[in-house]
């Protein structure tokens, strides 16, 4: 039971990180838009993709799939690097 609670806590923290990643994109959008609207849209889109894949990975981990979590994490980091 203790391991289950620790896993739930870890997944909850990962989901909180997803919200933070998305919030960074939303909060930076008005600042970047002043300098370059296309860059602002691209940055926001990149952060939305990153947060989405991280959330999918967190959900997969909560379901017991460490391998799928790793794949989603790597895709999220690739989206961030490419964007």
């Amino acid at each position: 039971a203790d391991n289950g609670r620790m896993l739930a806590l870890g997944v909850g923290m990962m989901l909180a990180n997803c919200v933070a990643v998305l919030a960074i994109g939303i909060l930076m959008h008005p600042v970047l838009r002043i300098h370059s609207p296309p860059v602002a849209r691209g940055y926001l889109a990149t952060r939305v993709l990153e947060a989405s894949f991280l959330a999918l990975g967190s959900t997969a981990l909560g379901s017991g799939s460490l391998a799928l979590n790793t794949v989603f994490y790597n895709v999220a980091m690739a989206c961030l690097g490419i964007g």
Side-chain angles (χ1 to χ4, degrees), residues 3-5 15-17 20 23 31 35 37-38 40 44 53-54 63-64 73 75-76 78-79 81:
N3 287 340
R5 283 190 298 188
L15 291 171
N17 178 60
V31 175
H35 302 285
L44 180 59
F53 282 112
L54 288 174
S63 299
Y73 176 82
V75 171
C79 288

Side-chain angles (χ1 to χ4, degrees), residues 46 77-83:
T46 299
M77 295 302 106
C79 288
L80 182 60
I82 292 169

Side-chain angles (χ1 to χ4, degrees), residues 9-75:
L9 178 62
V11 169
M13 292 174 73
M14 290 170 72
L15 291 171
N17 178 60
C18 297
V19 172
V21 165
L22 186 58
I24 291 168
I26 291 169
L27 292 171
M28 286 298 296
H29 187 266
V31 175
L32 294 172
R33 190 178 57 220
I34 293 168
H35 302 285
S36 176
V39 168
R41 284 190 301 273
Y43 185 76
L44 180 59
T46 299
R47 285 302 195 160
V48 168
L49 282 173
E50 179 190 6
S52 299
F53 282 112
L54 288 174
L56 287 170
S58 301
T59 305
L61 185 61
S63 299
S65 179
L66 178 60
L68 197 53
N69 173 52
T70 302
V71 169
F72 282 130
Y73 176 82
N74 287 326
V75 171

